[in-house]
Amino acid sequence: MTIQEQTIAPTAEGISMVRLPKELLHVPLTMVIFALVVALIANSFWLSAATSAVALSLSVTGLAILYGQLGLVSLCQFALVGVGGWVTLRVGHAFHPPFELSLLAGGIVASIVGLAFGLPALRLRGLYLALVTLMLAGAFQIVISAWGFPDGGPGFLGRADGSGRAMLARPLIADGEVSYFLYVCAVAAIGLLIAQWHKLARPGRAWALIRKGETVAVASGVNVLIYKAWAFALSGFLAGLAGGLLAGNVGQLDGRAFGAFESLNLFALAIVGGVFNWYGAVIAGLLLRAVPALLTDLGIDGYVTIGIFGVALFHALATAPTGIAGQISALIIRLNALLSRGRTR
């Protein structure tokens, strides 16, 4: 290391340590403003849609880690949402613990399953990994169609007859629609903070090296196996939390909502929303739930969203690879530059 590098390195490290808390602070502040605005102006229909959107933003955040940080295409993320929802419902109905414990159990099990789903990534990349994970999503669709989601019945599957079905109890502090929406926003903010910290800290630097090339990463002392497994486990955990929050929102889940196509849809909207900025996940979640809700409110067939999202994906890939969030970020940077020039004059 040269004398110049020795003098620059501590300065760069110092800048990183100063900026890290400031960048993390943006997450809770933005989520608080968003939550208060929606809670004040949304009716019951839109409040439910917004709750689902915020919950699913956690799953998109997991996709952003895999694709945005590592360049890995995983098409089984919505299946992991279903795993988290299934475990949350099963634990909640079987043992009636506090909602937080059921939610955490769903996240942990989905993390383990996500790690198992990510094993092909240790050998595969690109199209091959996408095909394998899509097949895993299809396998989950078959299993959940046969099993169904727990609804308070006996046995391992927890299935009840039509008359004996039960709804999953929400947290005691968030039993109402508005309070549960705020609760979901709080959990989502924590999940987004965890993901953002990973991106800014040592794991994020390791993932960036792996994305450049595994040979480069190994030469830099990065354990590729551990950090890839870490990314899939974290992505699965966030997806599991999303599934548990969805279960709490409606009290029950329907297996028909967890088809393999939903994983494709989720990945497409992750790209449209933006995988390189943390708020791109929130934008993608809103697109996934708010656009169909708007069409339903207007009396338009919800399947129209397939065409809308297809056009949006083409536009993102062709002209805006950083997604909507990246365009917003670039606009903010330009505005700050104009303001700075105005002050110096």
Side-chain angles (χ1 to χ4, degrees), residues 223-251:
N223 191 317
V224 175
L225 174 64
I226 289 179
Y227 279 101
K228 274 190 174 182
W230 191 337
F232 273 97
L234 178 59
S235 178
F237 179 74
L238 294 173
L241 291 182
L245 292 173
L246 288 176
N249 185 33
V250 295

Side-chain angles (χ1 to χ4, degrees), residues 111-120 136:
S111 177
I112 296 171
V113 176
L115 183 58
F117 281 8
L119 289 178
L136 290 171

